[in-house]
Amino acid sequence: EAQVTQNPRYLITVTGKKLTVTCSQNMNHEYMSWYRQDPGLGLRQIYYSMNVEVTDKGDVPEGYKVSRKEKRNFPLILESPSPNQTSLYFCASSRGWVNTEAFFGQGTRLTVV
Amino acid sequence: ILNVEQSPQSLHVQEGDSTNFTCSFPSSNFYALHWYRWETAKSPEALFVMTLNGDEKKKGRISATLNTKEGYSYLYIKGSQPEDSATYLCASGNSGGYQKVTFGTGTKLQVIP
């Protein structure tokens, strides 16, 4: 089954404790991205990757890092989480860039206390 | 950051009623317009991706139109059913510097049985 898998689904952590949210897709998609969803705001892009070893900042990259060492995986790293990073995070992948549909993971609800 | 606006923010309709929502987006450097359906506690799922001015797409009781010159798209739901209750997101794909997709804040539809 074609899917994007994120882990964990829920996470509560403390300020400053490094964490990684994993994302994996089995569709051989080249394009992957991370979004955050906050109340009253649309999905905002954090980082995106056009292919292995090619990543770039989206609209709200501060406080986040990513890597793309393999085509299927695109982890999101919070080196020193802060409460303003409490949010719902989605990973997405697509065959192409803006003119193909995106497939979303199940979401990760992160709370930083 | 491009402005993608959706209206209304939310609406309630009776089962069997038809309804429609609007997505407006910048027409400059337009590349593609996406519609997604997002049910509570699930991940967004693609409905349509449209690229051509005048494009119309249909999936069951749901259809969408696109006007790239004036920068708007309509989503129509005919004979709404309770299972149509969801948030409907639109996203505009533009090519300015790099190709990216910008999401609106969504229209939350509640269909009352």
Side-chain angles (χ1 to χ4, degrees), chain A residues 31 35 37 40-43 45 48 57-59 88 90 97-102 104-106, chain B residues 1 31-32 34 36 38 41-44 46 49 51 89 93-94 98-101 103-105:
Chain A
Y31 190 82
Y35 294 90
Q37 167 71 48
L41 300 174
L43 287 164
Q45 191 180 55
Y48 67 96
K57 296 175 182 178
D59 297 319
L88 177 60
F90 284 103
W97 289 20
V98 299
N99 59 344
T100 57
E101 62 180 341
F104 285 84
Q106 315 95 303
Chain B
I1 298 178
Y31 215 86
H34 300 224
Y36 291 86
W38 186 11
K42 294 189 177 179
S43 50
V49 179
T51 56
L89 300 173
N94 293 68
Y98 73 95
Q99 293 184 7
K100 65 166 296 192
V101 173
F103 282 83
T105 52

Side-chain angles (χ1 to χ4, degrees), chain B residues 69-105:
Chain B
K69 293 184 179 175
E70 295 179 45
Y72 65 84
S73 174
Y74 294 132
L75 188 81
Y76 300 92
I77 301 179
K78 187 177 176 183
S80 304
Q81 299 297 308
E83 57 265 30
D84 296 328
S85 297
T87 296
Y88 291 83
L89 300 173
C90 81
S92 172
N94 293 68
S95 179
Y98 73 95
Q99 293 184 7
K100 65 166 296 192
V101 173
T102 302
F103 282 83
T105 52

